Amino acid sequence: MEQTKVVLNDKEMPKKWYNILADMPTPMRPPLHPGTGKPVGPDDLAPVFPMNLIEQEVSQKRWIDIPDAVLEKYLLWRPTPLCRARNFEKLLGAPVKIYYKNEGVSPAGSHKPNTAVPQAYYNKVFGIKRLATETGAGQWGSALAMACKIFDLECRVYMVRVSYEQKPYRRLMMNTWGAECIPSPSTLTNAGKQVLAAHPDSPGSLGIAISEAVEDAVTHQNSRYALGSVLNHVLLHQTIIGLEAQKQLKKIGVYPDVVIGCAGGGSNFAGIALPYARDKVHGKKVSIIAAEPSSCPTMTKGPFAYDFGDLAKMTPLLCMYTLGHDFVPAPIHAGGLRYHGMAPIVSHLVKEKVMEARAYNQMETFDAGVKWARSECFIPAPETNHAIAAVVDEAMRAKEEGKEKVILFDWSGHGLVDLAAYDAYLSGKLQQYDLPDEEIQRALKAIEGLPKP
Ligand SMILES: Cc1ncc(COP(=O)(O)O)c(C=O)c1O
């Protein structure tokens, strides 16, 4: 019998997160205060995040201890299995070995609890009683709802309206874990009211929902905001994925030629990729590929620029690939990939050519996801289908070149709560949507007056 899974026992789970800031090939550009144009300091962020997470956000320490209380909760589903996708390999008929890290085994069904649990923990020990957040597809909202329940915090989630309507079961997961879920744009915040006044039918976007959640957090007592992607500390927490994968592949004497993840704000991709990016910075040969939607082509079509993280311009200016903060992506089913910007760490490493990005359209991603479901049997989240489309792409390139390749990718979540999207695809209702260049040009006008990197 050939080995299909590599598992770690509880004691082998990594006890530290890896911080790439200690190994960056060139210095990153700092976040700027929009008023002064100067780098933001910890005090600027204090109304929004607890100081212990702000310290992590700016830390240059290479290894950061995972607190015992977090390790204990990680053990509910971690270490996650590393699996060889032999059935998918056969179906593709290409000279590739495909390994995937199954992050869909967490209680919320994705990688998001890897950061939700430590974020709730750090807020709790800082004395915070309540968290507000946004969610796209609902994966992050449900993960934070679960983490807040673990550490006894109140939780309010602003969920992008189009996903709220497409995915009622995600809302019910949040409610089951005791959180409140509000469709965004809403009338609970000034940011939401302004959008609704201009566009009463707005499908919402992550940029709008972030504005609502930040405003909510800073206007309620003992509250803070939690973000499910993009920021340095979020990517740091996700590195447990890649660190485990490295241990697992080492056990079977394998090093990947290609590492792949889908990218919305960049957190699961960074999670699997950053430990390999470290190796690459130190001379190892490995391709690292982020897969994004062609309807929201942040890294493949957007400029590397300073921009706000949200529509209402409440966040600091981040140096990143961006489509402009007022860009509202088409309501594709991969709700978690509909974000105008990209994690500054990922953006910097793409700019430095340590990583690269490729865009895939909704039809090809569902085609890849259904092939996966019909061979490996686990049904992937629509976001994860982008990573699978990139795996297919790499496998076909290997076939053309007649070269053997080992591919590792992050299977970021299951799609059992996204079956309406599969229904649309299987019944032929899903359409190809290509973003017109004029729309990108229009949206980028919003960043014209901002500082340049
Ligand atoms: C299953 C899944 N994969 C990927 C993503 C994209 O987020 P990120 O780029 O932060 O990993 C999401 C976001 O909601 C998700 O739910």
Side-chain angles (χ1 to χ4, degrees), residues 110-112 137 139-140 228-229 262-269 336-337 381 383-384 412-413:
S110 76
H111 63 293
K112 296 285 179 182
Q139 291 267 21
W140 165 243
S229 191
C262 65
S267 75
N268 88 90
F269 167 63
L337 305 186
E383 292 83 4
T384 310
S412 57

Side-chain angles (χ1 to χ4, degrees), residues 214-274:
V214 174
E215 181 182 329
D216 180 304
V218 298
T219 53
H220 283 77
Q221 262 205 331
N222 260 329
S223 289
R224 289 291 185 278
Y225 165 69
L227 185 62
S229 191
V230 180
L231 297 179
N232 300 352
H233 66 271
V234 181
L235 275 53
L236 172 84
H237 301 154
Q238 293 294 355
T239 58
I240 187 137
I241 304 173
L243 295 169
E244 280 183 8
Q246 284 190 327
K247 273 193 164 184
Q248 286 161 312
L249 285 177
K250 204 167 166 198
K251 278 190 179 220
I252 50 169
V254 169
Y255 195 89
D257 299 296
V258 189
V259 178
I260 291 173
C262 65
S267 75
N268 88 90
F269 167 63
I272 195 144
L274 292 181

